[in-house]
Structures are given as structure tokens and as C-alpha cells.
Amino acid sequence: KNEFNIGTALGFVDNRINFEFDYYTRNNFDLIGQVQTQGVGGVLTKAANDAQLKSSGVEFSLSTVNIARKNFTWTSDLIFSHTKNKITKLDAFTQVVSMVNGYSRLEGYPIGAMFSIPFAGLTEEGLPTFYRDAERKETYNPTNYSDINFQEYAKVCLDQLKYEGSIDPSIFGSFNNTFTIKKDLRIGIFLTYSFGNVLRLNPICNVYASDYSDLTASMKEMKNRWMIPGDEDVTTLPTIASKRQYETIQGLNYAYSAYNYCDQRVAKGDFIRLKEIYVEYNFPQKWFDGQKVVSSFSAKVSGTNLALLYADKKLNGQDPEFINAGGVSSPISKQWTVTLRLGF
């Protein structure tokens, strides 16, 4: 890679205000990826130098002593980062299934570009329909969805999909405040934030099937699905298809899979999180002067991941920092910790 980096650090008012700034730009070449081959050697894909990438970013931090008194001090630390990247050359192909999952590599787009199948509304029977042409005029035949092909290559159908953005945030950082009272009591409030990316909502249509059992569980969004004629005007959630519809409408399972990857199932990944609050107390040192065993004692109570102060309402409770990798997994949980420190 070829890289240029410049930065500066400044202090003002007897270093009560400190500022650091960095800027970089990189041209990356001969990046390694999977390249499709003719299969002569027995494999269809091989690792090869197939891409070039241009990236740049800025980062600055600001540390301030807002109040400095004999018995009270308030300090703040702000970190801000902004990054962007774009693939400038690529000698490989990407399939639709990777594009709608956000794992695609496409020339002219950032790493992790996410695309969606354009949603065209529900039929009078509550079945989902999707656009199949660049002009958004022609839809897939709602009586035969077999033409929906997730294995198609991007060069063939790129203009038929909707670009949503990158799954990686472009802006992120933190904001920390520390309050010290009489040098013994410390209170900290730590916030983190992230902006500029998109998320694929949790699949809702994996509960759609041709038959059900008592073990079938549904998301609460299902209560807003299409249920009677006319609901297509007030909801975008498809109906639960009958077994007859699954048997008579060819490729209906493709339609419900496509709904998971349509533009209705995308939300902003922006968030502001209350990452941590803590209270720490150092017991007066005079209590331990002359003691032969214990020389100091402090106690700390902290809570982490306490609340999302801001997130896209469309997430409907889904955590923007949590990516379900499959199987049984849990999102980020709240934690409370009590710490006792003894000095001997």
C-alpha cells in the first residue's frame, strides 16, 4: 500500500484543553481475494491478487478540564473518527446472495456494500411482489416466483437491485465524563456512538411455512401481517400462505426468502449507547496509617451496556451492535459489577 499520514497535537490554557488530529489516505493494491477460474486445476475458485482499494479517514480527540476546584474536578474526553473506502479495481464476480447479505465486493462501492431486492407491495392475496427491471415497472409473476435467482452474478442484475449503503459505520467514537469529589469519590459516565451504516433486520419470513406445529414460534411483528383483503394497503408484511398456495404457486418459498432481503427489511445502524456508569470510592488513607496489614481500600460499582439512548425505531428492539451469526446466541446484555480493592 501507499500511505500518507499527517497529524498534530495542541494544548491550550495550561493544557486544560488538549486537541489531537490525524488524517490518512491509503491506496491499497494486490489485495487477496477469491477469484473464479475455469476449473482446469480441479477447483473453481482460487486465492489471488484481485483488487485495489482506496481509503481515507480522519480522527480527532479532545480532552478538557471543564472545572478544577479544590474539592471538585470535571474532565471530558471526546473521540471522533470518520472513515471511507472504495474498491477501485476488482477482477472477481459477486453473486446476488452476497450482495443482499452485505458481504459483497463490487468495483466502485465500499467494502461490505449492501443491496436489496426492490419491494413492489403485496397482492390482493397478501403475497409479496418484487421489481425485476431497472425502471421499477415490471414485477415478478406472483403465480411463479421461480425466476428469483440468488445465485445470479452482479454484472447481470446490478441495476435491478437497490443500493442501501455499507454495513460498516463511517463515523464512530466515544464521549467520557469523569467527576472527582474531594479526591476520594469518582463518578464516570461513558457513551459510545456509531453512524453511517445499514443493517439487515432479523429474518421474519423464516416462520413462514406450508405447515406448522405447536413448537413454531413467531416474531411479534407477525401480528401486523396481511390477514384479510384490503390489508395490502396498510401493511407490507406478507400473509402466512396456505398449504394450497405452496402447492399451486411455483417458487413461493423463493418469494418469502426474497422478502427477508428486500428494502423493507433494512434499517439504519446509527446508535448512541450508554456504555458504562461507575462510582468509585477510595476510603481515606488516614484510616490505614499505622496499620500493619491493610494499607488501602477502595470500592467500585459499575454498570455496562445499560441503555440505547438512540437507535432506529425500525430495529424494533434489535440491537444495532449485535450481529446474529446463526444458531442460538444472545445480544449484548447489561452487566453490573462490584469491585473491592485491598492494598497490603
Side-chain angles (χ1 to χ4, degrees), residues 304-340:
T304 57
N305 301 316
L306 297 182
L308 273 175
L309 303 180
Y310 169 77
D312 191 346
K313 293 182 179 179
K314 196 174 181 181
L315 290 171
N316 200 25
Q318 181 177 337
D319 195 317
E321 276 193 290
F322 172 69
I323 299 177
N324 193 339
V328 178
S329 51
S330 300
I332 298 174
S333 60
K334 299 178 183 178
Q335 293 182 348
W336 290 95
T337 305
V338 177
T339 305
L340 302 177

Side-chain angles (χ1 to χ4, degrees), residues 52-56 83-90 94 98-99 102-115 163-170 196-198:
Q52 295 181 11
L53 177 74
K54 185 175 182 179
S55 60
S56 62
T83 63
K84 61 180 180 179
N85 64 77
K86 183 173 70 172
I87 298 174
T88 56
K89 183 180 179 182
L90 183 67
T94 297
S98 297
M99 297 169 67
Y103 302 121
S104 61
R105 296 191 306 151
L106 289 169
E107 186 172 323
Y109 292 91
I111 297 175
M114 179 186 286
F115 293 78
Y163 175 61
E164 302 285 3
S166 174
I167 63 173
D168 297 318
S170 58
N197 64 313
V198 293

Side-chain angles (χ1 to χ4, degrees), residues 91-141:
D91 297 324
F93 300 105
T94 297
Q95 293 178 309
V96 171
V97 64
S98 297
M99 297 169 67
V100 297
N101 274 309
Y103 302 121
S104 61
R105 296 191 306 151
L106 289 169
E107 186 172 323
Y109 292 91
I111 297 175
M114 179 186 286
F115 293 78
S116 289
I117 301 171
F119 182 67
L122 301 177
T123 67
E124 295 179 352
E125 294 182 330
L127 300 177
T129 60
F130 310 94
Y131 291 112
R132 62 180 303 165
D133 64 320
E135 290 76 23
R136 306 294 192 261
K137 295 180 180 179
E138 182 182 355
T139 61
Y140 287 96
N141 186 352

Side-chain angles (χ1 to χ4, degrees), residues 42-324:
V43 294
L44 295 177
T45 59
K46 291 183 178 181
N49 302 109
D50 70 334
Q52 295 181 11
L53 177 74
K54 185 175 182 179
S55 60
S56 62
V58 296
E59 178 176 331
F60 76 81
S61 63
L62 177 65
S63 299
T64 60
V65 180
N66 305 313
I67 298 177
R69 297 287 186 268
K70 181 179 179 180
N71 294 322
F72 180 76
T73 303
W74 171 25
T75 62
S76 297
D77 297 282
L78 173 67
I79 297 177
F80 173 88
S81 298
H82 177 265
T83 63
K84 61 180 180 179
N85 64 77
K86 183 173 70 172
I87 298 174
T88 56
K89 183 180 179 182
L90 183 67
D91 297 324
F93 300 105
T94 297
Q95 293 178 309
V96 171
V97 64
S98 297
M99 297 169 67
V100 297
N101 274 309
Y103 302 121
S104 61
R105 296 191 306 151
L106 289 169
E107 186 172 323
Y109 292 91
I111 297 175
M114 179 186 286
F115 293 78
S116 289
I117 301 171
F119 182 67
L122 301 177
T123 67
E124 295 179 352
E125 294 182 330
L127 300 177
T129 60
F130 310 94
Y131 291 112
R132 62 180 303 165
D133 64 320
E135 290 76 23
R136 306 294 192 261
K137 295 180 180 179
E138 182 182 355
T139 61
Y140 287 96
N141 186 352
T143 62
N144 187 343
Y145 290 97
S146 299
D147 290 342
I148 300 178
N149 184 6
F150 287 99
Q151 304 306 317
E152 189 64 84
Y153 286 104
K155 290 186 177 181
V156 179
C157 60
L158 179 60
D159 59 348
Q160 299 177 19
L161 300 175
K162 177 184 177 182
Y163 175 61
E164 302 285 3
S166 174
I167 63 173
D168 297 318
S170 58
I171 297 174
F172 51 91
S174 63
F175 183 48
N176 184 49
N177 286 276
T178 303
F179 306 90
T180 305
I181 303 173
K182 292 185 177 181
K183 298 182 180 180
D184 295 323
L185 178 63
R186 295 179 60 201
I187 301 173
I189 302 175
F190 183 52
L191 305 176
T192 58
Y193 62 88
S194 177
F195 297 92
N197 64 313
V198 293
L199 297 174
R200 179 70 64 189
L201 296 180
N202 288 331
I204 188 174
C205 291
N206 55 3
V207 299
Y208 287 96
S210 57
D211 53 67
Y212 296 87
S213 71
D214 292 339
L215 299 179
T216 302
S218 302
M219 300 174 68
K220 62 182 179 181
E221 293 178 80
M222 293 291 290
K223 66 181 182 180
N224 298 322
R225 70 186 185 279
W226 187 102
M227 288 184 281
I228 60 174
D231 283 352
E232 64 271 14
D233 298 326
V234 295
T235 184
T236 59
L237 292 174
T239 185
I240 296 178
S242 66
K243 191 168 185 178
R244 177 188 59 82
Q245 288 174 312
Y246 267 98
E247 293 174 349
T248 58
I249 301 176
Q250 189 172 356
L252 186 57
N253 58 320
Y254 294 143
Y256 282 115
S257 294
Y259 184 79
N260 283 329
Y261 300 109
C262 75
D263 50 12
Q264 296 296 309
R265 305 300 298 170
V266 175
K268 293 181 179 179
D270 305 347
F271 71 86
I272 301 175
R273 182 185 295 277
L274 179 56
K275 190 67 174 180
E276 182 182 18
I277 292 180
Y278 71 86
V279 178
E280 183 177 13
Y281 183 71
N282 295 311
F283 289 85
Q285 187 59 42
K286 64 181 181 179
W287 290 12
F288 307 99
D289 291 343
Q291 296 289 333
K292 296 182 178 180
V293 180
V294 179
S295 61
S296 64
F297 178 52
S298 66
K300 179 180 179 181
V301 178
S302 62
T304 57
N305 301 316
L306 297 182
L308 273 175
L309 303 180
Y310 169 77
D312 191 346
K313 293 182 179 179
K314 196 174 181 181
L315 290 171
N316 200 25
Q318 181 177 337
D319 195 317
E321 276 193 290
F322 172 69
I323 299 177
N324 193 339

